[in-house]
Amino acid sequence: MATQIKPKFECSEEEWKVRQDLAACYRIFDHLGWGESIYNHISIAVPGEKDTFLINPFGLLYDEVTASNLVKIDVEGNNVGQSQYMVNKAGFTQHAHFHKHLGERATAICHVHTTATMAVCSHKDGLVPTNFYACNFQGQIGYHDFEGVTVRPEEGDRLVENLGNHSILMLRNHGPVVMDKTIPGMFVKMWALQRACEIQIATLSQGNANVVTQDVVDTHQRDLAVMQSQGGAGVFDFEAWKRRVSKIDDSWKS
């Protein structure tokens, strides 16, 4: 997609690029039905800066987010950008801890409350290898017991500990946190997780599921890794969905 002309907004070209990608990501989530009124969050670390990230303005729906109204805050919760909006404390507390302590692996982060992912987070067995997409994630997900709304800083260390070396943390009885080095990588991971959860719920509604054995899961993940290495993770997917939402409303670019 062609580079968009930056309006009169004081930031680097690199920051403007990630602002546009993050705003587009919010619109894509909204289009796919992954929004939760004015709640939940997607964030991205600001390139070339230490301990600052962009997040949605609290009070706006996902389809109202634009590149210029995203809020720039540091990991201490200070608004260090030009936005006059506030941020949701739950979003700041959780995302700030991941951005601060996990570095590049948590460059892009989302937390959602979709019905399917919350349902699986609330199931005692979590995500089970009963379908193609679920097999993608076996052995690659951490679980964190519910402690209430995530507004207390001391919970941050436990979140990081329970995440381990994974990139998805299922908050039990709550919802998932998905992260990656890039927005496209985070997006395609979230898309596959959503599909895995939707299919698991449909499968279990029929009765006993046919669980895939570990040897097949291992083969599946090995071959999937080879396929994913042939191109940037999620880039084609993300650009395709950017085109889709732009046909509907391209105000996210501004």
Side-chain angles (χ1 to χ4, degrees):
M1 182 174 288
T3 302
Q4 301 299 320
I5 297 175
K6 186 175 73 171
K8 294 181 179 179
F9 190 87
E10 295 180 8
C11 71
S12 67
E13 292 295 332
E14 293 79 11
E15 179 179 331
W16 185 249
K17 172 62 168 62
V18 299
R19 278 180 172 273
Q20 287 198 317
D21 280 349
L22 182 58
C25 195
Y26 274 104
R27 299 299 183 92
I28 295 167
F29 273 44
D30 178 75
H31 182 73
L32 293 170
W34 297 350
E36 183 84 348
S37 185
I38 61 171
Y39 306 102
N40 293 171
H41 335 280
I42 316 170
S43 64
I44 181 76
V46 177
E49 297 187 12
K50 181 176 174 57
D51 293 340
T52 60
F53 61 97
L54 302 168
I55 198 166
N56 52 316
F58 189 47
L60 298 189
L61 297 171
Y62 279 14
D63 68 355
E64 297 177 295
V65 173
T66 66
S68 58
N69 69 26
L70 288 162
V71 185
K72 182 177 179 179
I73 60 176
D74 64 20
V75 293
E76 304 303 325
N78 301 304
N79 186 332
V80 296
Q82 303 167 53
S83 177
Q84 299 303 307
Y85 288 96
M86 60 182 290
V87 299
N88 186 345
K89 185 176 181 181
F92 154 69
T93 302
Q94 182 187 106
H95 286 238
H97 208 83
F98 289 129
H99 282 300
K100 181 176 183 178
H101 295 284
L102 299 181
E104 185 185 37
R105 61 184 280 219
T107 298
I109 307 171
C110 74
H111 171 57
V112 300
H113 284 180
T114 67
T115 299
T117 58
M118 286 189 77
V120 171
C121 283
S122 302
H123 192 278
K124 65 181 182 65
D125 295 326
L127 189 64
V128 182
T130 60
N131 65 74
F132 178 96
Y133 293 113
C135 289
N136 295 7
F137 300 111
Q138 293 308 300
Q140 300 180 17
I141 294 177
Y143 288 87
H144 175 76
D145 287 339
F146 187 56
E147 299 185 22
V149 62
T150 51
V151 294
R152 290 167 287 103
E154 69 269 19
E155 188 178 359
D157 291 339
R158 293 187 291 278
L159 289 167
V160 170
E161 181 181 357
N162 289 325
L163 174 68
N165 61 358
H166 306 306
S167 60
I168 297 175
L169 182 63
M170 299 292 259
L171 308 181
R172 293 192 184 278
N173 309 102
H174 189 170
V177 178
V178 180
M179 60 190 69
D180 195 82
K181 295 179 180 179
T182 67
I183 288 179
M186 176 272 293
F187 166 72
V188 75
K189 201 176 294 180
M190 175 60 215
W191 182 86
L193 179 65
Q194 174 70 14
R195 293 294 294 136
C197 292
E198 290 171 344
I199 298 165
Q200 175 169 311
I201 292 167
T203 301
L204 295 181
S205 72
Q206 302 174 96
N208 293 331
N210 182 36
V211 178
V212 178
T213 59
Q214 187 60 49
D215 61 322
V216 175
V217 169
D218 292 342
T219 299
H220 173 76
Q221 292 185 352
R222 180 200 67 198
D223 294 345
L224 192 64
V226 172
M227 293 173 59
Q228 291 174 337
S229 68
Q230 296 173 358
V235 172
F236 294 147
D237 306 73
F238 188 65
E239 291 299 323
W241 283 105
K242 280 170 69 175
R243 293 192 299 272
R244 170 66 66 85
V245 296
S246 293
K247 291 175 183 176
I248 300 168
D249 177 8
D250 68 354
S251 62
W252 58 267
K253 300 174 182 178
S254 65

